[in-house]
Amino acid sequence: MKSIETSVVVLNHTGQEASIELAKEYASLEETVLRLIELINALQPELKNSWDRFDFRRLNVGIQAASEPHAAYFAISTKAVELMAALRFEILFTVYAPLAR
């Protein structure tokens, strides 16, 4: 994982699993997903082989709820979904309760 550590923040890394997020924030979910896909596709062969052996590859989209706006939309294009499927990603959404005031 050292070769990608400048591009990601390692949230958790054990012998069995790793949780990362991109070090840079992007303007949209779509752009974030595409940048993550680019990162995975550019992995060095040794890391790409590790990626291919993973049992699970989850893209966890965290959403912090608030009282405003009433609704918010987060789109992922067909192209991005196809690219995620090619990398065998599952998509998981975690919605966090509004913060106490």
Side-chain angles (χ1 to χ4, degrees):
M1 292 208 15
K2 293 217 181 285
S3 67
I4 62 169
E5 284 183 352
T6 58
S7 301
V8 300
V9 175
V10 179
L11 303 174
N12 180 33
H13 183 221
T14 67
Q16 298 298 315
E17 66 181 59
S19 298
I20 62 170
E21 62 184 35
L22 294 176
K24 182 177 176 183
E25 290 190 29
Y26 294 93
S28 68
L29 175 57
E30 175 81 6
E31 187 177 4
T32 302
V33 166
L34 292 174
R35 296 298 168 250
L36 180 60
I37 290 166
E38 285 177 6
L39 179 70
I40 300 301
N41 284 330
L43 289 175
Q44 296 172 354
E46 180 181 319
L47 281 177
K48 186 67 166 112
N49 288 337
S50 293
W51 174 267
D52 291 339
R53 289 191 312 268
F54 291 159
D55 291 329
F56 299 102
R57 296 153 202 84
R58 291 189 182 108
L59 175 67
N60 186 347
V61 179
I63 300 170
Q64 179 65 59
S67 58
E68 296 291 330
H70 175 72
Y73 302 95
F74 307 94
I76 303 173
S77 69
T78 302
K79 174 187 171 187
V81 171
E82 289 171 352
L83 292 168
M84 286 186 291
L87 292 171
R88 298 176 29 213
F89 267 114
E90 293 178 350
I91 304 171
L92 173 71
F93 292 89
T94 302
V95 179
Y96 298 96
L99 298 173
R101 292 183 186 207

